[in-house]
């Protein structure tokens, strides 16, 4: 471990000193300086810790659970400050001799240089411009003998503190003002700096220590706490709390594994978002984003995701202005608009919860993506797959997305494209079904369904394709239909089955053995002309024939 050179201390690369057991073990590069903690024989400074009375900070009461810790941190948010900013302010005040304007509960650092030979005598130390500060809120004072090289080696904050404005001679001490609620965590942090271990094990205490390590820039302690918290059982409450930590903590590389674990936990718990509807609606913004980031979300369609996001936002943010801001800057990135139906995209354009300009941009981007050839779509999705917001990556929808071309003249007519992955088809055996998203023709809703069923003639399993009409009443609706499939090597669509049928609500028609071959031949890997690059391309053409009353 490289230690900074401070006056009176120099460490060579091969220097080994101290009592037996100085180094933890042969495999560890981190020395154990526990023997030197608060020992004046191995210390060059005196740290004076002035502790604010509990009455000065309403968040200083005890706690015993994650819930208590969360409530206490919420109350302390407005009081918290960045210690490095305070230090920078202290430096400026020394140069300008301006008096500080400090609020109760802020952390203050003073560095003084005593003129006495007695290292504990600080009466002659200059006050660095803090002579007007009201110390009436200080409940008690703790003094510790510290080694500045040890603290500086682990903490850039302490390195800047001890190396700023140092005199070549004279005794030194540092003063730190903290809240009573921070005392235990700060002492634990000092213990870690010296020994590379901690004595606390509960989640609330580790979170306090994590916050202290962030404030005093001890990255190794943040990493240590993050690992210990990951090893504890994850709950919805703790996961949301980890994702709601201050931004300075969340962006730290040492805490990323913890927040990643929290996101994975929430995504897995709410994989089926209908399983815990009340809990889902109570999630925080960060929790909602974690759930919606999952590709494995079990949801009927992206239309359902859109509706759910709107429902959550309207329940959480009563102000339209605030809701628009949250949807536009955060949640819109979690909705995969290219996989929404055209009918729903039209509703996006007229939704007052979205800024109109943003809604138009999102809908146009989605429509342009839909018009791309399949190979281009896969290429675009692959490019974005490594990003945080995977808008072009298809989820595992319960109802498979379709592409639809609609024509109104001379008769209502539509062409529907349905792509299925080979592994999806294999998963249908022996009696599974895959349903497409709904599409519309002549004002009626239809869907396609792919089946693995028994051929009535040969009793072999085979692949079937069916067309169904959603429940809309008893009125008959006549449709001419044709099923086609693309096959290699020509990769052109070839007609497999055609017919006509007068639908009534809830009825379906189709062909039980679309390819006229048994299931084993349909899914075989070698010389299979039905799957192109692992994708089965199906097409259904529908034309309104006539509409009659039953």
């Amino acid at each position: 471990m490289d230690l900074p050179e401070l006056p009176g201390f120099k460490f060579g690369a091969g220097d080994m000193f101290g009592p037996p057991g100085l180094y933890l073990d042969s495999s560890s590069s981190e020395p154990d300086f526990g023997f030197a903690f608060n020992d004046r024989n191995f210390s060059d400074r005196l740290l004076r810790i002035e502790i604010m009375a509990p009455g000065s900070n309403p968040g200083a009461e005890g706690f015993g659970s994650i819930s208590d810790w969360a409530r206490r941190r919420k109350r302390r948010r407005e009081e918290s400050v960045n210690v490095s900013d305070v230090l920078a302010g202290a430096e400026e005040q020394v140069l300008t001799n301006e008096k500080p304007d400090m609020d109760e509960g802020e952390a203050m650092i003073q560095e003084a240089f005593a003129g006495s030979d007695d290292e504990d005598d600080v009466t002659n130390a200059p006050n660095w411009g803090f002579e007007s500060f009201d110390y009436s809120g200080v409940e008690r004072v703790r003094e510790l003998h510290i080694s500045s090289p040890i603290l500086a080696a682990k903490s850039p904050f302490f390195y800047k503190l001890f190396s700023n404005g140092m005199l070549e001679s004279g005794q030194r001490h540092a003063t730190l003002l903290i809240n009573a609620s921070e005392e235990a965590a700060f002492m634990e942090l000092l213990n870690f700096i010296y020994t590379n271990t901690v004595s606390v094990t509960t989640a609330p205490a580790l979170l306090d220590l994590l916050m202290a390590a962030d404030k005093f820039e001890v990255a190794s302690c943040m990493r240590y706490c993050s690992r210990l918290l990951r090893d504890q059982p994850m709950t919805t409450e703790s996961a949301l709390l980890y994702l709601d930590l201050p931004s300075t903590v969340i962006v730290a590389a040492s805490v990323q594994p913890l927040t990643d674990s929290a996101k994975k936990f929430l995504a897995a718990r709410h994989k089926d978002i209908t399983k815990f509807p009340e809990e889902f609606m109570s999630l925080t913004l960060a929790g909602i984003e974690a759930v919606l980031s999952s590709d494995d979300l079990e949801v009927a369609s992206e239309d359902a995701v859109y509706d759910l996001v709107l429902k959550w936002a309207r329940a959480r943010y009563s102000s339209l202005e605030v809701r628009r801001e949250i949807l536009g800057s955060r949640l819109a990135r979690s909705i995969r608009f290219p996989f929404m139906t055209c009918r729903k995209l039209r509703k996006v354009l007229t939704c007052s919860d979205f800024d109109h300009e943003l809604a138009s941009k999102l809908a146009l981007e989605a429509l342009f993506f839909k018009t791309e050839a399949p190979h281009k779509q896969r290429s675009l999705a692959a490019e974005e797959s490594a990003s945080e917001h995977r808008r072009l990556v298809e989820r595992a929808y319960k109802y498979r997305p379709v592409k639809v071309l609609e024509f109104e003249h001379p008769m209502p007519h539509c062409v529907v494209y349905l792509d299925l992955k080979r592994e999806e088809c294999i998963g249908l055996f022996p009696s599974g079904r895959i349903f497409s998203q709904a599409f519309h023709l002549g004002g009626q809703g239809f869907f396609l369904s792919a089946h693995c069923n028994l051929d009535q003639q040969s009793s072999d399993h085979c692949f079937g394709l069916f067309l169904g009409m959603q429940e809309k009443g008893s009125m008959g609706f006549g449709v001419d239909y044709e099923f086609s499939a693309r096959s290699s090597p020509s990769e052109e669509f070839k007609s497999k089955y055609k017919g006509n049928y007068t639908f009534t609500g809830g009825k379906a028609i189709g062909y039980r053995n679309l390819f006229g071959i048994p299931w084993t031949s349909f899914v075989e890997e070698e010389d299979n002309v039905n799957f192109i690059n692992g994708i089965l391309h199906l097409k259904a053409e529908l034309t309104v024939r006539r509409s009659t009353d039953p």
Side-chain angles (χ1 to χ4, degrees):
M1 177 178 65
D2 296 330
L3 297 176
E5 290 190 5
L6 296 177
F9 291 88
K10 287 188 177 180
F11 298 92
D15 291 344
M16 295 290 288
F17 60 92
L22 171 65
Y23 288 87
L24 294 174
D25 54 60
S26 59
S27 63
S28 174
S29 61
E30 295 290 341
D32 181 357
F33 290 112
F35 69 90
F37 183 62
N38 199 25
D39 189 323
R40 63 189 306 163
N41 294 319
F42 298 98
S43 305
D44 65 326
R45 287 179 181 267
L46 183 71
L47 179 63
R48 178 183 173 89
I49 308 171
E50 299 183 344
I51 303 163
M52 298 290 289
S56 301
N57 177 14
E61 72 276 9
F63 56 90
S65 69
I66 284 285
S67 298
D68 295 335
W69 192 94
R71 285 192 293 270
R72 188 186 63 148
R73 192 181 76 81
K74 185 176 182 180
R75 288 194 297 267
R76 290 176 53 190
R77 277 176 176 172
E78 296 180 357
E79 301 176 5
S80 63
V81 295
N82 188 306
V83 179
S84 60
D85 292 341
V86 176
L87 176 60
E91 298 168 5
E92 181 179 355
Q93 290 151 7
V94 172
L95 297 176
T96 62
N97 200 32
E98 294 179 354
K99 296 180 180 180
D101 180 15
M102 305 293 286
D103 291 330
E104 192 174 70
E106 291 183 341
M108 284 177 47
I109 297 295
Q110 299 180 64
E111 172 120 324
F113 304 95
S116 169
D117 291 336
D118 184 356
E119 66 177 16
D120 292 333
D121 181 6
V122 298
T123 57
N124 296 326
N127 56 27
W128 280 52
F130 297 122
E131 66 273 7
S132 64
F133 184 76
D134 182 9
Y135 283 84
S136 61
V138 175
E139 179 189 45
R140 62 186 185 281
V141 175
R142 298 183 66 166
E143 292 184 344
L144 297 173
H145 296 283
I146 58 171
S147 170
S148 55
I150 294 176
L151 268 65
K154 285 285 184 69
S155 165
F157 167 80
F158 282 114
Y159 179 83
K160 287 181 288 185
L161 172 65
F162 296 141
S163 61
N164 180 60
M166 290 180 61
L167 301 179
E168 294 182 359
S169 62
Q171 301 299 324
R172 294 149 295 175
H173 78 275
T175 300
L176 174 66
L177 181 65
I178 63 174
N179 293 315
S181 61
E182 298 175 309
E183 179 184 2
F186 182 71
M187 295 304 297
E188 193 67 46
L189 179 64
L190 291 179
N191 175 67
F192 176 87
I193 291 176
Y194 275 82
T195 66
N196 302 297
T197 187
V198 299
S199 61
V200 296
T201 57
T202 65
L206 287 170
L207 283 168
D208 261 354
L209 179 56
L210 178 66
M211 301 284 279
D214 172 62
K215 178 181 287 188
F216 293 99
E217 304 177 52
V218 186
S220 57
C221 186
M222 294 180 69
R223 188 162 47 249
Y224 192 90
C225 292
S226 176
R227 186 175 73 249
L228 292 181
L229 287 169
R230 290 201 316 275
D231 291 341
Q232 297 198 3
M234 187 79 72
T235 65
T236 298
E237 187 178 34
S238 62
L240 292 176
L241 186 58
Y242 300 153
L243 295 180
D244 196 37
L245 290 170
S247 58
T248 56
V249 178
I250 286 183
V251 299
S254 54
V255 183
Q256 283 295 308
L258 177 62
T259 55
D260 289 344
S261 296
K263 291 177 182 178
K264 290 179 181 178
F265 171 84
L266 291 174
R269 178 170 176 78
H270 294 279
K271 182 177 181 180
D272 181 355
I273 56 179
T274 63
K275 189 174 182 179
F276 305 107
E278 293 183 3
E279 182 179 302
F280 180 86
M281 292 299 295
S282 68
L283 293 179
T284 62
L285 176 58
I288 290 290
E289 289 178 314
V291 173
L292 298 184
S293 67
S294 173
D295 297 342
D296 299 323
L297 197 63
E298 293 180 356
V299 63
S301 65
E302 199 66 26
D303 290 4
V305 173
Y306 171 82
D307 289 337
L308 201 59
V309 167
L310 275 187
K311 181 180 179 181
W312 180 89
R314 288 168 179 170
R316 182 58 63 96
Y317 306 103
S318 58
S319 168
L320 177 60
E321 183 179 355
V322 174
R323 192 160 64 245
R324 279 184 174 179
E325 171 62 26
I326 294 297
L327 285 169
S329 63
R330 300 283 294 272
L331 291 177
R333 299 178 299 181
S334 299
I335 302 173
R336 306 185 183 185
F337 290 92
F339 299 100
M340 290 171 58
T341 63
C342 292
R343 288 173 67 90
K344 185 63 74 172
L345 288 174
R346 293 191 191 102
K347 293 184 178 181
V348 173
L349 292 173
T350 59
C351 179
S352 61
D353 296 277
F354 281 90
D355 175 77
H356 180 69
E357 184 176 345
L358 174 63
S360 299
K361 177 177 179 292
L362 294 171
L364 283 174
E365 288 179 348
L367 291 172
F368 278 126
F369 180 81
K370 289 177 179 292
T371 61
E372 296 285 2
H375 72 277
K376 180 63 175 178
Q377 290 181 345
R378 290 192 293 271
S379 176
L380 292 172
E383 292 175 5
E384 197 187 54
S385 61
S387 66
E388 181 180 359
H389 304 290
R390 299 157 58 86
R391 297 177 303 109
L392 304 181
V393 178
E394 190 175 328
R395 304 186 201 267
Y397 300 112
K398 294 179 181 178
Y399 301 130
R400 305 297 299 141
V402 292
K403 293 182 181 179
V404 183
L405 299 177
E406 298 182 44
F407 305 91
E408 292 295 332
H409 302 287
M411 291 289 291
H413 174 79
C414 70
V415 182
V416 184
Y417 296 91
L418 173 64
D419 293 343
L420 300 176
K421 298 176 183 178
R422 184 173 181 275
E423 51 267 29
E424 290 177 318
C425 293
I426 292 176
L428 292 175
F429 187 85
S431 58
R433 300 182 180 186
I434 294 178
F435 295 94
S436 78
Q437 294 179 1
F439 55 91
H440 292 78
L441 175 67
Q444 297 293 328
F446 290 87
F447 61 90
L448 295 174
S449 60
H451 297 205
C452 175
N453 41 219
L454 288 174
D455 188 304
Q456 293 179 336
Q457 295 181 350
S458 64
S459 297
D460 291 329
H461 286 89
C462 53
F463 179 86
L465 185 64
F466 295 81
L467 171 68
M469 189 176 83
Q470 294 178 321
E471 191 73 42
K472 286 288 183 178
S474 58
M475 179 178 291
F477 195 86
V479 173
D480 293 326
Y481 63 92
E482 181 177 7
F483 295 154
S484 304
R486 177 180 287 173
S487 59
S488 58
S490 66
E491 298 191 0
E492 296 179 354
F493 280 101
K494 295 182 179 180
S495 178
K496 297 296 182 180
Y497 185 76
K498 64 173 60 176
N500 57 74
Y501 187 74
T502 299
F503 287 91
T504 56
K507 300 296 183 180
I509 190 68
Y511 198 60
R512 298 180 67 87
N513 192 349
L514 186 66
F515 295 96
I517 56 176
W519 184 262
T520 52
S521 300
F522 169 67
V523 298
E524 66 182 359
E525 293 189 33
E526 296 183 6
D527 301 324
N528 193 323
V529 299
N530 299 312
F531 292 90
I532 302 174
N533 296 322
I535 303 295
L536 176 66
H537 300 275
L538 302 172
K539 181 178 73 171
E541 293 191 55
L542 284 68
T543 303
V544 174
R545 181 163 51 88
R546 59 188 176 86
S547 181
T548 60
D549 294 329

